[in-house]
Amino acid sequence: MKSSRLTFLLAVAMFAAAAGPSHATETVTTKHVTARIVADVRAVEPGGTFTIGINQKIIPRWHTYWINPGDSGLATSIAWTLPEGAKVGEIEWPAPKKINIAHLANYGYENEVTLLTKITVPENVRAGGTFPVKAVVDWLVCEEICIPEQVTLELNLPVVARGMSAGISERSIEAARNSLPEDVSWTFEAKAANGKLLFAFTPQGIAPEQINNPFFFASEWGVSEHAAPQPVSVENGKLTMAIKPSQTKLPPQLRGVLVFEDRSAGTPLLRAVNVNTGIDGAIAPTTPLGMMTMSEIGFFTALLFALLGGIILNLMPCVFPVLSLKILWLVNHSRASAHQRRLQGWSYTAGVLACFGAFAAIVLAFKAGGAQLGWGFQFQSPLFVLLLAYVMFAVGLTQSGLLTFGTSLTRLGFAGTKGGYAESFLTGALAAVVATPCTAPFMGAALGFAVAQPAPILLSIFLALGFGLALPYLVLCYWPALLRFLPKPGVWMERFKQFLAFPMYAVAVWLVWVLAQQAGANAVAAALGGMVLIAFGAWLLSSHTRLKFWRRVNASLAAIAIVFAVGIGAMAAMDPQPVQQANNPNARYQAFTPAKLDELRASGRPVFVNLTAAWCLTCIVNERIALDRAEVMTAFENNNIAYLKGDWTHRDPAITELLTKFGRSGVPLYVFYPAGANSTPVVLPQILTTDIVLREIGSRINQASTNQPTLGERR
């Protein structure tokens, strides 16, 4: 019985193998590429491994891309759909070709290429069935323009009994295997010296003089200037190639493919070998204009930038409300002794530094978890925005004289001349928190450098930034002569304190607006309701009564009101509703996505990218005074500049990645990509004016074309 069943299964398997794979969608032809899925077997067996190839036949003069596309382009990607339990390997990339375009270079394939992938069949597949393979393949095919294309390829392979599968000779797969880089036992070395990456190798089995036209293709983008020549020198049997790096921070390992002509047999033979070796030393290459990344500054420069950025941060709009607290604090301490003023100044500084230290600790914690945070990250949390709105509203109530419970909050920003150091500490912490939606010049460079550094350096730069924020007021505390210009304390101080409540209310309103962008109308209603409860609690606490019982009742009811305020607000903030975006057909920008940016650049249009956030006051001010101005919009339209806006109000990995690419840890970031997929992007300053925008992008367009009306004509 068992013998007859086995015979039957074998017969089925042999019939299936003889029938060969069924033809699903094995070949798809686009306008530029004919794609075909092939296998090196006619049938698969349980637990077996076979090779699938995605063959591309590309029309003349066009090309697709290698894993590192070079100065522009996009590597081909494959998304597999396989039966459960099947395992798929990485793409095995044939050696690429350097494709020169003007002064740039792409790495890719012309005419025909087959990308190989190994697939392991699960053990539980049954003989007699089929093993379906589905591949969704995306590529960018380019000549003078680039076209993104996608095809879906399918192949159904019969399943035969173990030991019955046999390989077949598939021409395209064999050709691809022959063009795969070899693994050799040569000695490779790489080190950074004099602004160059020196890559050396000692060949075996071939004399150095028999190696002709070597070129190293780095697997990772940014390791080398793709179009730059790689001069070779030979000494003591070792060949050394001087590679021009395109960025300062190199990976610890140099990986890629070395391609050369082997003349050892007389007739030149093109060969490729895999390279994987460590890189010794650091490098400081010269980078193209506009691509200066923040990682290129040193530690002490970053410290200086952080200090300067912190000082200038005092002048940013988001700090104005707290600036009023500081002014009042200075006025209130004009009669204090020098010793008291200094202690107050250091208490305030300690509050600022403690807060910045906490920011650094959070960033480090997320880095340890593999995530990335940027400047102002806390404002991406609706709950944080809600609680800060409550705090600012409560501070406004204290400044108005409507909230008088305890001593700490009442004295926040208004510490008395005797002691009150804890209140100064809290004022400093509050100043640090509300300062984070703003970015000052120098900060982007310093923070961009900091987030890529080890913990001690990151912490040092954050503390330098905080010290810069506190420094002007600390200096005033040590320089009593300046205090003589302040008015003497008097009745006016109470009125002034009440007046300063309104900036606090304004900040609370702004934060509720930010909350609306993040969590929708329900969260806004909860926040406003919570503020009513806080005001109710303030009224209860300020209601004077001689009876101890009623004082306790009022305090209990006030505490309950505040707890309810926090509770309903937190529930709404932590359960955000979809925010309906206005569908404005007249919107002058499109939403940023990496694919959209690539598409626009591939089409040849210049692109302006604005990375912003609803809580970023610097971003909003820049848009009001520069980007939204009619002159800029007209210039964009006249020069066919596409305008992309990326909203970082919520965490967005794609935006974070672009920020990181340009060495930034937070918004705003303004990047102009001149026309052409290979153009070099230009980073604009963080503080914009109309003239700055027109001058920066106008000069690039003037360089690209002198035959069209240019932005420079405006000046």
Side-chain angles (χ1 to χ4, degrees):
M1 182 62 182
K2 290 181 179 179
S3 175
S4 61
R5 286 185 61 185
L6 179 59
T7 303
F8 172 75
L9 290 175
L10 288 174
V12 170
M14 292 176 66
F15 176 79
S22 65
H23 296 271
T25 314
E26 297 181 17
T27 302
V28 176
T29 300
T30 68
K31 189 175 181 181
H32 307 93
V33 177
T34 296
R36 187 164 62 100
I37 185 170
V38 293
D40 67 347
V41 294
R42 288 186 179 276
V44 300
E45 61 182 32
T49 298
F50 66 101
T51 298
I52 281 284
I54 301 296
N55 174 255
Q56 295 176 324
K57 289 185 177 178
I58 308 163
I59 63 174
R61 298 188 302 277
W62 291 68
H63 60 270
T64 58
Y65 291 92
W66 188 51
I67 186 172
N68 174 7
D71 285 316
S72 65
L74 190 68
T76 298
S77 64
I78 308 172
W80 298 98
T81 300
L82 300 170
E84 185 177 357
K87 297 179 181 177
V88 61
E90 300 291 332
I91 295 176
E92 298 175 7
W93 299 88
K97 177 182 179 182
K98 183 183 178 186
I99 303 167
N100 294 306
I101 301 175
H103 62 288
L104 303 175
N106 290 337
Y107 297 166
Y109 309 101
E110 295 176 317
N111 301 320
E112 182 175 359
V113 65
T114 300
L115 305 180
L116 305 180
T117 305
K118 286 188 172 58
I119 294 177
T120 301
V121 181
E123 296 281 356
N124 58 357
V125 296
R126 300 184 58 182
T130 60
F131 185 82
V133 178
K134 179 179 177 181
V136 178
V137 190
D138 291 89
W139 62 74
L140 191 67
V141 58
C142 300
E143 191 203 21
E144 293 181 354
I145 62 173
C146 294
I147 308 296
E149 294 181 338
Q150 182 188 84
V151 299
T152 300
L153 302 170
E154 297 179 73
L155 181 67
N156 292 320
L157 293 166
V159 180
V160 298
R162 196 184 302 275
M164 299 301 296
S165 175
I168 60 173
S169 177
E170 166 59 42
R171 181 197 63 81
S172 59
I173 289 182
E174 292 303 319
R177 283 173 174 160
N178 291 333
S179 63
L180 290 176
E182 309 167 41
D183 289 323
V184 295
S185 56
W186 298 1
T187 300
F188 297 111
E189 303 170 40
K191 66 177 181 180
N194 301 322
K196 297 286 185 181
L197 174 60
L198 301 179
F199 167 55
F201 59 97
T202 304
Q204 296 182 12
I206 178 174
E209 59 271 16
Q210 294 173 329
I211 292 180
N212 194 37
N213 297 326
F215 190 87
F216 177 72
F217 294 85
S219 298
E220 298 180 47
W221 191 93
V223 172
S224 64
E225 288 281 355
H226 305 102
Q230 299 176 351
V232 183
S233 60
V234 181
E235 184 176 359
N236 298 327
K238 178 190 295 186
L239 292 89
T240 301
M241 303 172 66
I243 298 173
K244 184 179 180 181
S246 64
Q247 63 182 12
T248 302
K249 189 174 182 180
L250 295 173
Q253 291 291 120
L254 181 66
R255 297 186 178 91
V257 176
L258 174 66
V259 178
F260 60 94
E261 289 179 355
D262 182 348
R263 293 182 174 272
S264 59
T267 303
L269 173 66
L270 192 65
R271 293 182 59 188
V273 299
N274 285 314
V275 174
N276 186 352
T277 186
I279 300 177
D280 293 331
I283 203 160
T286 301
T287 53
L289 182 64
M291 286 292 288
M292 180 68 75
T293 60
M294 302 310 127
S295 59
E296 295 172 18
I297 65 177
F299 171 60
F300 292 105
T301 303
L303 276 182
L304 177 61
F305 279 12
L307 185 66
L308 293 174
I311 294 172
I312 299 174
L313 196 57
N314 286 279
L315 305 177
M316 294 294 107
C318 55
V319 187
F320 285 163
V322 179
L323 191 61
S324 63
L325 284 177
K326 300 175 184 177
I327 293 172
L328 194 58
W329 178 82
L330 288 174
V331 171
N332 193 42
H333 287 76
S334 61
R335 294 183 303 176
S337 67
H339 178 70
Q340 287 177 319
R341 282 195 303 271
R342 292 171 183 174
L343 286 180
Q344 292 288 353
W346 281 113
S347 299
Y348 172 83
T349 303
V352 173
L353 295 180
C355 212
F356 274 82
F359 293 157
I362 295 172
V363 171
L364 288 170
F366 273 77
K367 280 185 64 179
Q372 289 183 318
L373 289 181
W375 179 247
F377 63 87
Q378 67 273 29
F379 281 86
Q380 293 176 331
S381 165
L383 180 59
F384 176 86
V385 172
L386 171 81
L387 295 179
L388 186 59
Y390 283 172
V391 170
M392 299 308 291
F393 180 67
V395 172
L397 291 178
T398 66
Q399 302 297 87
S400 298
L402 300 177
L403 183 57
T404 57
F405 63 84
T407 57
S408 58
L409 193 58
T410 305
R411 293 181 177 179
L412 194 59
F414 198 62
T417 55
K418 296 181 179 180
Y421 303 123
E423 289 76 15
S424 289
F425 180 91
L426 290 175
T427 307
L430 184 64
V433 170
V434 300
T436 49
C438 281
T439 301
F442 302 108
M443 279 180 57
L447 292 175
F449 174 85
V451 295
Q453 303 303 315
I457 295 178
L458 185 148
L459 180 61
S460 301
I461 293 173
F462 268 71
L463 292 180
L465 181 62
F467 189 71
L469 179 64
L471 186 59
Y473 301 91
L474 189 61
V475 170
L476 285 176
C477 293
Y478 271 82
W479 200 351
L482 293 178
L483 296 178
R484 291 202 301 267
F485 296 100
L486 298 177
K488 295 182 179 179
V491 178
W492 68 271
M493 290 179 58
E494 183 62 21
R495 298 288 294 172
F496 187 54
K497 185 188 74 170
Q498 294 173 359
F499 168 76
L500 292 181
F502 293 97
M504 302 301 164
Y505 296 138
V507 172
V509 170
W510 165 65
L511 290 168
V512 172
W513 176 79
V514 173
L515 187 64
Q517 314 303 310
Q518 296 176 315
N522 290 345
V524 172
L528 296 178
M531 289 180 179
V532 172
L533 289 172
I534 291 174
F536 177 68
W539 175 75
L540 288 174
L541 290 173
S542 60
S543 299
H544 299 290
T545 175
R546 295 181 178 179
L547 297 179
K548 187 176 181 181
F549 170 78
W550 286 112
R551 288 201 300 271
R552 289 182 176 177
V553 169
N554 287 347
S556 299
L557 290 176
I560 292 172
I562 292 172
V563 169
F564 265 93
V566 174
I568 62 174
M571 284 191 293
M574 296 174 69
D575 183 25
Q577 303 299 312
V579 179
Q580 298 294 327
Q581 300 292 339
N583 184 18
N584 182 7
N586 299 318
R588 296 174 173 175
Y589 60 84
Q590 304 174 66
F592 165 82
T593 65
K596 192 66 180 178
L597 176 61
D598 291 340
E599 177 188 339
L600 289 169
R601 297 194 70 198
S603 69
R605 289 185 67 183
V607 184
F608 185 90
V609 176
N610 169 16
L611 300 186
T612 182
W615 41 261
C616 172
L617 285 182
T618 304
C619 307
I620 295 172
V621 171
N622 282 336
E623 291 179 9
R624 295 290 183 271
I625 68 174
L627 297 178
D628 290 347
R629 297 294 296 270
E631 306 96 297
V632 173
M633 289 295 106
T634 301
F636 281 10
E637 184 176 350
N638 290 343
N639 290 276
N640 195 30
I641 299 173
Y643 182 13
L644 298 182
K645 183 184 285 189
D647 188 352
W648 210 44
T649 302
H650 303 274
R651 292 188 66 185
D652 186 324
I655 295 177
T656 304
E657 183 178 350
L658 187 61
L659 289 168
T660 304
K661 179 179 178 181
F662 286 96
R664 296 291 176 82
S665 65
V667 291
L669 174 65
Y670 308 103
V671 184
F672 176 63
Y673 295 85
N678 302 320
S679 62
T680 301
V682 180
V683 179
L684 275 67
Q686 291 176 295
I687 306 299
L688 294 180
T689 64
T690 301
D691 286 341
I692 289 175
V693 176
L694 296 178
R695 181 177 64 249
E696 292 292 337
I697 64 177
S699 62
R700 306 301 166 185
I701 288 181
N702 288 340
Q703 291 175 7
S705 173
T706 58
N707 298 323
Q708 298 180 0
T710 64
L711 298 167
E713 292 175 355
R714 177 183 177 277
R715 298 187 301 277

